[in-house]
Amino acid sequence: MAEQLNDRENSGLADKLMQYLPARLRPGAAVVPVVRLSGVIGAVTPLRPGMTLAGLARVLERAFSYRNAKAVALVINSPGGSPVQSRQIYLRIKQLAAEKKLPVLVFVEDVAASGGYMIACAGDEIFCDPSSILGSIGVVGGSFGFQDAIKRLGIERRLYTAGAHKAMLDPFLPENPDDVAKLKALQREIHQIFIALVKDSRGARLKGTDDVLFTGEYWAGESSIALGLADGIGDIRSTLRARYGEKVLTPVIAQPSGLLSGLLGRKSPGAGQLSAMESMAGLPDELISAVETRAIWAKFGF
C-alpha cells in the first residue's frame, strides 16, 4: 500500500515538473520544425543576398537536429536562380533527411519555379495553394548587345585575352554564332541534369510527357498536381494539424539576427562607417541586381 502511494506521489510530482518544461521537450510532443526558403537563389550583392547553401547550411542542420521532430517542413517562395546553388541546397536537404530519418514536407507559397522547384523536389511530398506557380523546368540565360551604342558614343573597345574563347558573348562585341552554339550546348547539359533530378525525385508520380513537363513552362496549383509536380492542395497549418494533431508545434528555424548575428560574425563590430562606404560604392551594382531580381519575379506575374 505504501509503495502504491509513493508511486502515485512520484507520478504526480513528475506531472507537475513536466508543466515547467518547454512544450517541445515534453514526451510525446509532436514537433515539426519549419524552414522558410524565400527569394532568388544565388544572387548575392552587398545589400541583396540571395539563397545559397553557405547561408542556409546552419539553419538546415538545426531544423533536422530538432529534438522530438516528426518531420521537417520547408516553406518555399522562389522564382529560381543559380542551378548550382539550387542543386546543392537540394542535396543537403536530402542528405540530412536520410541521416536523421525524417520526412520532408514542402509547402509552396507564391512560386516554386526553376531552381525553386528543384529545391522543392527534395520533399517527400509537395503541397501548394491553388494559385501557386510551379515548374519552369528549364535553363535560361540572357545578355545585351552594346557594340553599336559604343560606336555612336565614340568609345573604342579595347579587350586583351589569352584563349580563343575568353571573350565569348562579350556584350560589347558583335554576336558570334559559334559562341551562341556553345552556350546552348551548355544549357542543354544543365537542363538534362535538372530533368534527371526531377524524374529521380518525383518518379512514377509524374503524369506528363517530357515534351510537356520539361519545356520551361509553368503551371498553377491544380494543373501542377494533375501533372504530378505536386501532391496536393494544402497550407502548412491545416496539413500539419491534420497529420500530427491539433497540438503540433511548428517552431520556425531562422538565421540569427540583430546583436546575436553580430556576435556570430555576420557583421563586424566597429566597422559601420567602412560598411556604409562599401555599400555606397556598390550602389550601381545593387541597382542592377534589384532590376534583375524584379525581372525574375515578374516573369511569373509577381
Side-chain angles (χ1 to χ4, degrees):
M1 187 69 175
E3 290 181 359
Q4 291 179 347
L5 289 173
N6 286 334
D7 290 342
R8 289 176 184 173
E9 289 175 358
N10 290 335
S11 177
L13 179 60
D15 291 340
K16 290 180 180 179
L17 290 174
M18 204 65 66
Q19 296 175 6
Y20 295 99
L21 278 176
R24 66 184 179 86
L25 297 179
R26 297 172 192 170
V31 182
V32 180
V34 177
V35 177
R36 299 189 64 87
L37 303 174
S38 300
V40 176
I41 302 164
V44 179
T45 65
L47 298 179
R48 191 180 296 276
M51 281 196 288
T52 63
L53 177 58
L56 292 171
R58 183 175 296 178
V59 172
L60 293 172
E61 291 278 356
R62 287 175 56 205
F64 280 94
S65 300
Y66 215 87
R67 184 170 178 178
N68 290 338
K70 302 296 184 183
V72 171
L74 305 177
V75 179
I76 295 179
N77 195 12
S78 173
S82 163
V84 173
Q85 291 299 324
S86 302
R87 186 171 179 275
Q88 288 187 349
I89 294 168
Y90 162 91
L91 289 174
R92 179 60 60 88
I93 293 167
K94 295 290 283 186
Q95 289 162 358
L96 289 168
E99 289 171 11
K100 304 296 183 179
K101 296 180 173 57
L102 288 174
V104 177
L105 306 178
V106 169
F107 297 87
V108 177
E109 291 189 324
D110 298 303
V111 182
S114 194
Y117 183 72
M118 183 184 288
I119 295 175
C121 285
D124 296 286
E125 296 177 76
I126 300 175
F127 299 92
C128 59
D129 185 85
S131 298
S132 297
I133 290 175
L134 293 86
S136 190
I137 302 168
V139 182
V140 65
S143 183
F144 297 92
F146 295 107
Q147 69 274 10
D148 292 333
I150 63 174
K151 285 180 182 177
R152 286 196 294 269
L153 293 171
I155 299 171
E156 180 184 356
R157 174 72 163 150
R158 295 174 181 175
L159 185 66
Y160 311 101
T161 66
H165 302 290
K166 189 62 179 177
M168 189 173 78
L169 300 176
D170 185 295
F172 296 100
L173 295 175
E175 189 174 64
N176 183 330
D178 290 339
D179 292 346
V180 175
K182 289 183 177 67
L183 174 63
K184 288 186 173 293
L186 181 63
Q187 288 179 323
R188 286 193 293 271
E189 185 176 349
I190 297 171
H191 193 199
Q192 288 304 313
I193 294 170
F194 194 173
I195 291 171
L197 183 149
V198 174
K199 286 185 173 182
D200 183 61
S201 300
R202 299 297 297 169
R205 287 176 288 186
L206 293 174
K207 304 302 179 186
T209 58
D210 287 10
D211 59 353
V212 172
L213 292 173
F214 306 130
T215 63
E217 188 178 353
Y218 44 88
W219 300 269
E222 294 286 5
S223 297
S224 299
I225 294 167
L227 291 169
L229 297 176
D231 298 291
I233 299 295
D235 65 278
I236 186 168
R237 186 173 185 271
S238 301
T239 303
L240 293 183
R241 285 189 167 199
R243 187 161 300 192
Y244 298 105
E246 291 291 322
K247 295 184 178 181
V248 62
L249 302 171
T250 55
V252 177
I253 312 300
Q255 290 277 15
S257 60
L259 175 62
L260 182 57
S261 67
L263 294 174
L264 292 176
R266 293 182 66 204
K267 296 180 181 178
S268 300
Q273 292 181 338
L274 178 60
S275 177
M277 291 172 63
E278 289 174 345
S279 296
M280 288 297 291
L283 281 177
D285 287 342
E286 176 61 20
L287 178 59
I288 293 171
S289 174
V291 172
E292 289 178 342
T293 299
R294 184 70 190 89
I296 292 172
W297 280 104
K299 176 182 177 181
F300 303 102
F302 294 93

PDB file of all heavy atoms in Angstrom, residues 37 39 41 51 76-82 86 106 108 111-122 126 135-136 194:
ATOM      1  N   LEU A  37      12.336  29.206 -47.147  1.00  0.00           N
ATOM      2  CA  LEU A  37      13.312  29.382 -48.221  1.00  0.00           C
ATOM      3  C   LEU A  37      12.713  30.349 -49.231  1.00  0.00           C
ATOM      4  O   LEU A  37      11.898  29.958 -50.077  1.00  0.00           O
ATOM      5  CB  LEU A  37      13.636  28.036 -48.871  1.00  0.00           C
ATOM      6  CG  LEU A  37      14.158  26.949 -47.921  1.00  0.00           C
ATOM      7  CD1 LEU A  37      14.314  25.623 -48.645  1.00  0.00           C
ATOM      8  CD2 LEU A  37      15.486  27.367 -47.299  1.00  0.00           C
ATOM      9  N   GLY A  39      13.139  33.860 -51.924  1.00  0.00           N
ATOM     10  CA  GLY A  39      13.958  34.762 -52.703  1.00  0.00           C
ATOM     11  C   GLY A  39      14.679  34.097 -53.861  1.00  0.00           C
ATOM     12  O   GLY A  39      14.586  32.889 -54.088  1.00  0.00           O
ATOM     13  N   ILE A  41      17.765  32.614 -55.904  1.00  0.00           N
ATOM     14  CA  ILE A  41      18.809  31.692 -55.445  1.00  0.00           C
ATOM     15  C   ILE A  41      20.157  32.098 -56.030  1.00  0.00           C
ATOM     16  O   ILE A  41      20.314  32.202 -57.250  1.00  0.00           O
ATOM     17  CB  ILE A  41      18.469  30.251 -55.861  1.00  0.00           C
ATOM     18  CG1 ILE A  41      17.111  29.841 -55.284  1.00  0.00           C
ATOM     19  CG2 ILE A  41      19.551  29.280 -55.394  1.00  0.00           C
ATOM     20  CD1 ILE A  41      16.516  28.611 -55.929  1.00  0.00           C
ATOM     21  N   MET A  51      19.639  33.207 -51.792  1.00  0.00           N
ATOM     22  CA  MET A  51      19.786  31.928 -51.092  1.00  0.00           C
ATOM     23  C   MET A  51      21.010  31.178 -51.594  1.00  0.00           C
ATOM     24  O   MET A  51      21.187  31.013 -52.802  1.00  0.00           O
ATOM     25  CB  MET A  51      18.535  31.072 -51.308  1.00  0.00           C
ATOM     26  CG  MET A  51      17.366  31.439 -50.449  1.00  0.00           C
ATOM     27  SD  MET A  51      16.133  30.103 -50.454  1.00  0.00           S
ATOM     28  CE  MET A  51      15.462  30.246 -52.099  1.00  0.00           C
ATOM     29  N   ILE A  76       8.525  27.244 -49.335  1.00  0.00           N
ATOM     30  CA  ILE A  76       9.323  27.741 -50.463  1.00  0.00           C
ATOM     31  C   ILE A  76       8.570  28.836 -51.209  1.00  0.00           C
ATOM     32  O   ILE A  76       7.384  28.700 -51.525  1.00  0.00           O
ATOM     33  CB  ILE A  76       9.679  26.594 -51.422  1.00  0.00           C
ATOM     34  CG1 ILE A  76      10.602  25.588 -50.710  1.00  0.00           C
ATOM     35  CG2 ILE A  76      10.332  27.123 -52.695  1.00  0.00           C
ATOM     36  CD1 ILE A  76      11.008  24.404 -51.559  1.00  0.00           C
ATOM     37  N   ASN A  77       9.291  29.912 -51.475  1.00  0.00           N
ATOM     38  CA  ASN A  77       8.764  31.003 -52.295  1.00  0.00           C
ATOM     39  C   ASN A  77       9.932  31.562 -53.100  1.00  0.00           C
ATOM     40  O   ASN A  77      10.592  32.503 -52.682  1.00  0.00           O
ATOM     41  CB  ASN A  77       8.134  32.083 -51.425  1.00  0.00           C
ATOM     42  CG  ASN A  77       7.272  33.046 -52.229  1.00  0.00           C
ATOM     43  OD1 ASN A  77       6.961  32.790 -53.386  1.00  0.00           O
ATOM     44  ND2 ASN A  77       6.900  34.155 -51.628  1.00  0.00           N
ATOM     45  N   SER A  78      10.214  30.944 -54.242  1.00  0.00           N
ATOM     46  CA  SER A  78      11.403  31.312 -55.010  1.00  0.00           C
ATOM     47  C   SER A  78      11.164  31.141 -56.505  1.00  0.00           C
ATOM     48  O   SER A  78      10.663  30.101 -56.943  1.00  0.00           O
ATOM     49  CB  SER A  78      12.603  30.455 -54.592  1.00  0.00           C
ATOM     50  OG  SER A  78      13.709  30.704 -55.438  1.00  0.00           O
ATOM     51  N   PRO A  79      11.568  32.149 -57.297  1.00  0.00           N
ATOM     52  CA  PRO A  79      11.452  32.051 -58.758  1.00  0.00           C
ATOM     53  C   PRO A  79      12.654  31.385 -59.398  1.00  0.00           C
ATOM     54  O   PRO A  79      12.724  31.286 -60.619  1.00  0.00           O
ATOM     55  CB  PRO A  79      11.343  33.518 -59.186  1.00  0.00           C
ATOM     56  CG  PRO A  79      12.226  34.230 -58.206  1.00  0.00           C
ATOM     57  CD  PRO A  79      12.060  33.490 -56.893  1.00  0.00           C
ATOM     58  N   GLY A  80      13.634  30.965 -58.580  1.00  0.00           N
ATOM     59  CA  GLY A  80      14.805  30.279 -59.112  1.00  0.00           C
ATOM     60  C   GLY A  80      16.062  31.121 -59.037  1.00  0.00           C
ATOM     61  O   GLY A  80      16.150  32.079 -58.271  1.00  0.00           O
ATOM     62  N   GLY A  81      17.032  30.757 -59.848  1.00  0.00           N
ATOM     63  CA  GLY A  81      18.323  31.436 -59.832  1.00  0.00           C
ATOM     64  C   GLY A  81      19.436  30.473 -60.216  1.00  0.00           C
ATOM     65  O   GLY A  81      19.306  29.732 -61.198  1.00  0.00           O
ATOM     66  N   SER A  82      20.490  30.446 -59.436  1.00  0.00           N
ATOM     67  CA  SER A  82      21.663  29.624 -59.746  1.00  0.00           C
ATOM     68  C   SER A  82      21.327  28.133 -59.732  1.00  0.00           C
ATOM     69  O   SER A  82      20.860  27.601 -58.720  1.00  0.00           O
ATOM     70  CB  SER A  82      22.765  29.900 -58.723  1.00  0.00           C
ATOM     71  OG  SER A  82      23.738  28.876 -58.747  1.00  0.00           O
ATOM     72  N   SER A  86      21.012  25.828 -56.285  1.00  0.00           N
ATOM     73  CA  SER A  86      19.740  25.105 -56.151  1.00  0.00           C
ATOM     74  C   SER A  86      19.986  23.632 -55.896  1.00  0.00           C
ATOM     75  O   SER A  86      19.400  23.026 -54.992  1.00  0.00           O
ATOM     76  CB  SER A  86      18.902  25.276 -57.421  1.00  0.00           C
ATOM     77  OG  SER A  86      18.648  26.633 -57.679  1.00  0.00           O
ATOM     78  N   VAL A 106       7.036  19.818 -48.143  1.00  0.00           N
ATOM     79  CA  VAL A 106       7.261  21.112 -48.789  1.00  0.00           C
ATOM     80  C   VAL A 106       5.927  21.819 -49.002  1.00  0.00           C
ATOM     81  O   VAL A 106       4.956  21.209 -49.472  1.00  0.00           O
ATOM     82  CB  VAL A 106       7.981  20.925 -50.139  1.00  0.00           C
ATOM     83  CG1 VAL A 106       7.972  22.226 -50.946  1.00  0.00           C
ATOM     84  CG2 VAL A 106       9.412  20.461 -49.913  1.00  0.00           C
ATOM     85  N   VAL A 108       4.500  25.193 -50.936  1.00  0.00           N
ATOM     86  CA  VAL A 108       4.807  26.253 -51.898  1.00  0.00           C
ATOM     87  C   VAL A 108       3.880  27.433 -51.636  1.00  0.00           C
ATOM     88  O   VAL A 108       2.662  27.269 -51.523  1.00  0.00           O
ATOM     89  CB  VAL A 108       4.632  25.755 -53.340  1.00  0.00           C
ATOM     90  CG1 VAL A 108       4.889  26.884 -54.333  1.00  0.00           C
ATOM     91  CG2 VAL A 108       5.567  24.581 -53.605  1.00  0.00           C
ATOM     92  N   VAL A 111       5.493  31.014 -55.496  1.00  0.00           N
ATOM     93  CA  VAL A 111       6.226  30.402 -56.611  1.00  0.00           C
ATOM     94  C   VAL A 111       7.237  29.374 -56.112  1.00  0.00           C
ATOM     95  O   VAL A 111       7.930  29.609 -55.122  1.00  0.00           O
ATOM     96  CB  VAL A 111       7.010  31.479 -57.413  1.00  0.00           C
ATOM     97  CG1 VAL A 111       7.722  30.846 -58.597  1.00  0.00           C
ATOM     98  CG2 VAL A 111       6.102  32.592 -57.894  1.00  0.00           C
ATOM     99  N   ALA A 112       7.304  28.257 -56.811  1.00  0.00           N
ATOM    100  CA  ALA A 112       8.450  27.339 -56.704  1.00  0.00           C
ATOM    101  C   ALA A 112       8.768  26.978 -58.142  1.00  0.00           C
ATOM    102  O   ALA A 112       8.277  25.985 -58.688  1.00  0.00           O
ATOM    103  CB  ALA A 112       8.123  26.105 -55.882  1.00  0.00           C
ATOM    104  N   ALA A 113       9.558  27.842 -58.779  1.00  0.00           N
ATOM    105  CA  ALA A 113       9.820  27.692 -60.205  1.00  0.00           C
ATOM    106  C   ALA A 113      11.309  27.597 -60.452  1.00  0.00           C
ATOM    107  O   ALA A 113      12.116  28.121 -59.685  1.00  0.00           O
ATOM    108  CB  ALA A 113       9.244  28.882 -60.971  1.00  0.00           C
ATOM    109  N   SER A 114      11.673  26.894 -61.531  1.00  0.00           N
ATOM    110  CA  SER A 114      13.064  26.732 -61.912  1.00  0.00           C
ATOM    111  C   SER A 114      13.859  26.183 -60.718  1.00  0.00           C
ATOM    112  O   SER A 114      13.531  25.133 -60.188  1.00  0.00           O
ATOM    113  CB  SER A 114      13.625  28.057 -62.428  1.00  0.00           C
ATOM    114  OG  SER A 114      14.850  27.874 -63.098  1.00  0.00           O
ATOM    115  N   GLY A 115      14.894  26.896 -60.253  1.00  0.00           N
ATOM    116  CA  GLY A 115      15.670  26.415 -59.109  1.00  0.00           C
ATOM    117  C   GLY A 115      14.837  26.273 -57.849  1.00  0.00           C
ATOM    118  O   GLY A 115      15.120  25.429 -56.996  1.00  0.00           O
ATOM    119  N   GLY A 116      13.794  27.090 -57.709  1.00  0.00           N
ATOM    120  CA  GLY A 116      12.887  26.964 -56.567  1.00  0.00           C
ATOM    121  C   GLY A 116      12.161  25.632 -56.591  1.00  0.00           C
ATOM    122  O   GLY A 116      11.966  24.990 -55.552  1.00  0.00           O
ATOM    123  N   TYR A 117      11.781  25.180 -57.798  1.00  0.00           N
ATOM    124  CA  TYR A 117      11.141  23.869 -57.893  1.00  0.00           C
ATOM    125  C   TYR A 117      12.156  22.760 -57.685  1.00  0.00           C
ATOM    126  O   TYR A 117      11.829  21.713 -57.117  1.00  0.00           O
ATOM    127  CB  TYR A 117      10.421  23.689 -59.227  1.00  0.00           C
ATOM    128  CG  TYR A 117       9.698  22.370 -59.281  1.00  0.00           C
ATOM    129  CD1 TYR A 117       8.543  22.167 -58.522  1.00  0.00           C
ATOM    130  CD2 TYR A 117      10.196  21.301 -60.015  1.00  0.00           C
ATOM    131  CE1 TYR A 117       7.899  20.945 -58.512  1.00  0.00           C
ATOM    132  CE2 TYR A 117       9.558  20.082 -60.014  1.00  0.00           C
ATOM    133  CZ  TYR A 117       8.404  19.900 -59.257  1.00  0.00           C
ATOM    134  OH  TYR A 117       7.777  18.682 -59.228  1.00  0.00           O
ATOM    135  N   MET A 118      13.391  22.977 -58.122  1.00  0.00           N
ATOM    136  CA  MET A 118      14.431  21.973 -57.888  1.00  0.00           C
ATOM    137  C   MET A 118      14.579  21.709 -56.390  1.00  0.00           C
ATOM    138  O   MET A 118      14.645  20.550 -55.960  1.00  0.00           O
ATOM    139  CB  MET A 118      15.771  22.445 -58.465  1.00  0.00           C
ATOM    140  CG  MET A 118      16.885  21.407 -58.327  1.00  0.00           C
ATOM    141  SD  MET A 118      18.503  21.983 -58.903  1.00  0.00           S
ATOM    142  CE  MET A 118      18.262  22.019 -60.669  1.00  0.00           C
ATOM    143  N   ILE A 119      14.600  22.761 -55.588  1.00  0.00           N
ATOM    144  CA  ILE A 119      14.698  22.599 -54.133  1.00  0.00           C
ATOM    145  C   ILE A 119      13.451  21.899 -53.601  1.00  0.00           C
ATOM    146  O   ILE A 119      13.537  21.022 -52.732  1.00  0.00           O
ATOM    147  CB  ILE A 119      14.902  23.957 -53.446  1.00  0.00           C
ATOM    148  CG1 ILE A 119      16.256  24.554 -53.851  1.00  0.00           C
ATOM    149  CG2 ILE A 119      14.827  23.809 -51.924  1.00  0.00           C
ATOM    150  CD1 ILE A 119      16.489  25.957 -53.322  1.00  0.00           C
ATOM    151  N   ALA A 120      12.282  22.257 -54.131  1.00  0.00           N
ATOM    152  CA  ALA A 120      11.034  21.630 -53.679  1.00  0.00           C
ATOM    153  C   ALA A 120      11.060  20.121 -53.884  1.00  0.00           C
ATOM    154  O   ALA A 120      10.451  19.366 -53.114  1.00  0.00           O
ATOM    155  CB  ALA A 120       9.841  22.242 -54.412  1.00  0.00           C
ATOM    156  N   CYS A 121      11.783  19.658 -54.902  1.00  0.00           N
ATOM    157  CA  CYS A 121      11.864  18.220 -55.190  1.00  0.00           C
ATOM    158  C   CYS A 121      12.564  17.442 -54.079  1.00  0.00           C
ATOM    159  O   CYS A 121      12.516  16.211 -54.064  1.00  0.00           O
ATOM    160  CB  CYS A 121      12.562  17.987 -56.519  1.00  0.00           C
ATOM    161  SG  CYS A 121      11.531  18.356 -57.950  1.00  0.00           S
ATOM    162  N   ALA A 122      13.218  18.138 -53.151  1.00  0.00           N
ATOM    163  CA  ALA A 122      13.827  17.463 -52.009  1.00  0.00           C
ATOM    164  C   ALA A 122      12.773  16.957 -51.031  1.00  0.00           C
ATOM    165  O   ALA A 122      13.076  16.155 -50.148  1.00  0.00           O
ATOM    166  CB  ALA A 122      14.797  18.401 -51.286  1.00  0.00           C
ATOM    167  N   ILE A 126       4.877  17.455 -51.802  1.00  0.00           N
ATOM    168  CA  ILE A 126       4.825  18.873 -52.135  1.00  0.00           C
ATOM    169  C   ILE A 126       3.370  19.323 -52.112  1.00  0.00           C
ATOM    170  O   ILE A 126       2.520  18.754 -52.815  1.00  0.00           O
ATOM    171  CB  ILE A 126       5.429  19.154 -53.524  1.00  0.00           C
ATOM    172  CG1 ILE A 126       6.897  18.720 -53.566  1.00  0.00           C
ATOM    173  CG2 ILE A 126       5.307  20.631 -53.876  1.00  0.00           C
ATOM    174  CD1 ILE A 126       7.533  18.852 -54.949  1.00  0.00           C
ATOM    175  N   GLY A 135       6.984  24.716 -61.522  1.00  0.00           N
ATOM    176  CA  GLY A 135       7.530  24.209 -62.775  1.00  0.00           C
ATOM    177  C   GLY A 135       8.681  25.041 -63.279  1.00  0.00           C
ATOM    178  O   GLY A 135       9.641  25.293 -62.565  1.00  0.00           O
ATOM    179  N   SER A 136       8.590  25.469 -64.540  1.00  0.00           N
ATOM    180  CA  SER A 136       9.672  26.206 -65.216  1.00  0.00           C
ATOM    181  C   SER A 136      10.960  25.381 -65.198  1.00  0.00           C
ATOM    182  O   SER A 136      12.025  25.867 -64.834  1.00  0.00           O
ATOM    183  CB  SER A 136       9.895  27.576 -64.562  1.00  0.00           C
ATOM    184  OG  SER A 136      10.757  28.369 -65.350  1.00  0.00           O
ATOM    185  N   PHE A 194      18.873  18.826 -64.595  1.00  0.00           N
ATOM    186  CA  PHE A 194      17.633  19.239 -63.927  1.00  0.00           C
ATOM    187  C   PHE A 194      16.544  18.192 -64.158  1.00  0.00           C
ATOM    188  O   PHE A 194      15.855  17.749 -63.228  1.00  0.00           O
ATOM    189  CB  PHE A 194      17.214  20.606 -64.475  1.00  0.00           C
ATOM    190  CG  PHE A 194      16.164  21.328 -63.671  1.00  0.00           C
ATOM    191  CD1 PHE A 194      15.825  22.638 -64.003  1.00  0.00           C
ATOM    192  CD2 PHE A 194      15.502  20.736 -62.602  1.00  0.00           C
ATOM    193  CE1 PHE A 194      14.868  23.332 -63.286  1.00  0.00           C
ATOM    194  CE2 PHE A 194      14.537  21.422 -61.872  1.00  0.00           C
ATOM    195  CZ  PHE A 194      14.215  22.721 -62.227  1.00  0.00           C
TER     196      PHE A 194
END
